[in-house]
């Protein structure tokens, strides 16, 4: 009885459960690969997340043994996914691997991967010319190293120094007017330019001193005991209004 339809339960007999079976099928776990571009397709540690069902607002997570790789290591690759020949699910505390199976190693609702762009390194070197403008030959842009050799990139647009003077410290390249271009070994879409700010790891600039040419050198002269007469010199190749006398 349910307290309302009194006596309804008396119309039924409970069948015996002897010999009955009940099974729970395994759910398909989700693989998500996330890494910053490094020119290889290996996934390690937290670069691979394995998740299961959500219970009470908390998504179950699982561990693994074996190795996992990306289908493709490049940023621009669409529909990237995780591949493996020996990945095995393992328990994560009370979250049990036996409740799950791995998804197919193809792009699907349970298998995806994203590669984000790495930050390129910008280094400028020039001889002082009183100007902040940088030519293409004065800027070197490199990326990650492959077999000990850094990938190289080019750029279009305009590059400029933060300051035109030799003595200023922490100089950097203003990258706001630059657009990365493919280089001899690097693909532009795998990288982003560093911010227009000094960063010892990714954005630095050096200015070397300019060699002046002296003409009409007059060393001056004086008689012992008299004030020293100043000499004079003319520099024919100084820049603009620079005062170098």
């Amino acid at each position: 009885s349910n307290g309302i339809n009194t006596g309804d339960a008396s119309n039924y007999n409970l069948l015996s459960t002897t010999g009955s079976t009940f099974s729970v099928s395994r759910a398909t776990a989700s693989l998500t690969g996330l890494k910053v571009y490094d020119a290889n397709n290996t996934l390690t540690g937290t670069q691979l997340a394995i998740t299961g069902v959500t219970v009470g607002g908390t998504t179950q997570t699982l561990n693994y043994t074996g190795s996992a790789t990306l289908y493709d290591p490049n940023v621009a690759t669409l529909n990237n996914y995780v591949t493996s020949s020996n990945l095995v699910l393992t328990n994560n505390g009370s979250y049990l691997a036996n409740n799950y199976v791995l998804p197919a190693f193809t792009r699907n609702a349970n298998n995806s991967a994203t590669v984000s762009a790495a930050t390129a390194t910008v280094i400028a070197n020039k001889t002082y010319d009183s100007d902040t403008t940088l030519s293409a030959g004065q800027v070197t842009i490199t990326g990650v190293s492959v077999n000990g050799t850094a990938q190289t990139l080019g750029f279009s647009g305009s590059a400029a120094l933060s300051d035109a003077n030799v003595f200023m410290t922490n100089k950097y390249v203003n990258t706001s007017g630059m657009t990365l271009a493919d280089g001899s070994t690097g693909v532009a879409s795998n990288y982003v330019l560093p911010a227009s700010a000094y960063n010892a790891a990714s954005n630095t600039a050096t200015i070397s001193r300019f060699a002046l040419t002296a003409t009409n050198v007059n060393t001056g002269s004086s008689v012992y005991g008299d004030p020293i007469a100043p000499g004079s010199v003319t520099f024919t190749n100084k820049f603009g209004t620079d005062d170098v006398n």
Side-chain angles (χ1 to χ4, degrees), residues 124 126-129 161 163-166 171 205-209:
K126 72 179 293 186
T127 300
Y128 174 77
D129 62 2
L161 293 166
D163 188 273
N165 297 294
V166 172
K171 283 187 290 294
T206 301
I207 301 176
S208 302
R209 294 185 177 187

Side-chain angles (χ1 to χ4, degrees), residues 212-218 230-245:
L212 289 169
T213 300
T215 61
N216 300 324
V217 178
N218 183 352
S232 63
V233 63
T234 301
F235 296 107
T236 58
N237 60 339
K238 69 184 183 66
F239 293 98
T241 58
D242 283 356
D243 184 2
V244 293
N245 292 317

Side-chain angles (χ1 to χ4, degrees), residues 165-218:
N165 297 294
V166 172
F167 74 93
M168 291 296 294
T169 59
N170 296 339
K171 283 187 290 294
Y172 58 88
V173 178
N174 186 334
T175 59
S176 60
M178 300 169 62
T179 300
L180 282 173
D182 292 347
S184 59
T185 54
V187 177
S189 59
N190 286 328
Y191 294 93
V192 293
L193 285 162
S196 296
Y198 175 78
N199 185 309
S202 62
N203 191 341
T204 59
T206 301
I207 301 176
S208 302
R209 294 185 177 187
F210 178 77
L212 289 169
T213 300
T215 61
N216 300 324
V217 178
N218 183 352

